[in-house]
Amino acid sequence: MFGKLKAGRILDAAWKVLKNDKKLVISQGIGTLLVLITLGVGSVIYFMSMNQSTMVTEFGPQMTYAPSIVSYIALLLTVFFITVIGEFMAAFIMVLALSHFRGAPISAKEAWRKVFSRWAALLKYTVIATIVGTVIQLIIERIPFIGGKVIA
């Protein structure tokens, strides 16, 4: 299925694991549901905490919105929780796929145990990725001439 990719054999193993054990699809579904709930709550908080102002133009008054510090904190926490869920779910599937790939399949419970034995490393990566992403977003929105160079 993924034979042309460099990591194609690992992806094939991951696909076979998901195909053979339907319970794993349920755990991935729960992870997806958690991501969607987190995204929804975070988005509501982000947009509700934006600063509103009225700007008078030649066309009449217009409402403008700008993110407040609470908006950026909501963004940071939303990205953090979504990244945590994603990292743990991806690590779970990769542990199962690698064990299957090596010819010694393990149970989902054992895979979760292995993932949680590495929780500190996963959280460190998540914290770094979240902070860097939020700072880049802040730069893009608040300092446009630097933000344009960051994107490019």
Side-chain angles (χ1 to χ4, degrees), residues 1-149:
M1 179 177 179
F2 298 103
K4 293 182 181 180
L5 297 174
K6 188 175 183 180
R9 291 173 58 196
I10 295 173
L11 290 172
D12 276 335
W15 179 250
K16 286 177 187 173
V17 167
L18 280 174
K19 212 163 93 173
N20 292 336
D21 193 351
K22 303 300 182 206
K23 292 178 187 173
L24 300 178
V25 175
I26 292 171
S27 73
Q28 294 299 304
I30 290 170
T32 302
L33 186 63
L34 287 173
V35 165
L36 291 174
I37 290 169
T38 304
L39 183 61
V41 170
S43 297
V44 167
I45 294 170
Y46 179 80
F47 288 112
M48 294 295 288
S49 62
M50 291 186 113
N51 293 328
Q52 294 183 26
S53 62
T54 304
M55 185 171 72
V56 179
T57 66
E58 61 188 57
F59 303 108
Q62 294 181 343
M63 293 297 292
T64 60
Y65 299 91
S68 67
I69 190 68
V70 175
S71 299
Y72 287 111
I73 292 170
L75 176 67
L76 179 89
L77 291 175
T78 301
V79 170
F80 174 76
F81 285 118
I82 288 173
T83 307
V84 165
I85 294 166
E87 289 298 321
F88 276 82
M89 297 307 283
F92 171 69
I93 288 298
M94 291 313 296
V95 165
L96 285 169
L98 286 173
S99 68
H100 184 77
F101 179 69
R102 292 180 180 145
I106 60 174
S107 68
K109 186 176 181 179
E110 180 67 19
W112 278 120
R113 190 188 65 70
K114 286 185 178 202
V115 168
F116 282 109
S117 72
R118 304 283 184 165
W119 67 270
L122 287 169
L123 283 181
K124 285 177 192 174
Y125 170 78
T126 303
V127 167
I128 292 168
T130 302
I131 291 172
V132 168
T134 304
V135 167
I136 289 172
Q137 184 67 33
L138 182 69
I139 290 170
I140 289 168
E141 290 179 2
R142 297 290 180 160
I143 313 171
F145 64 92
I146 294 176
K149 293 180 192 289

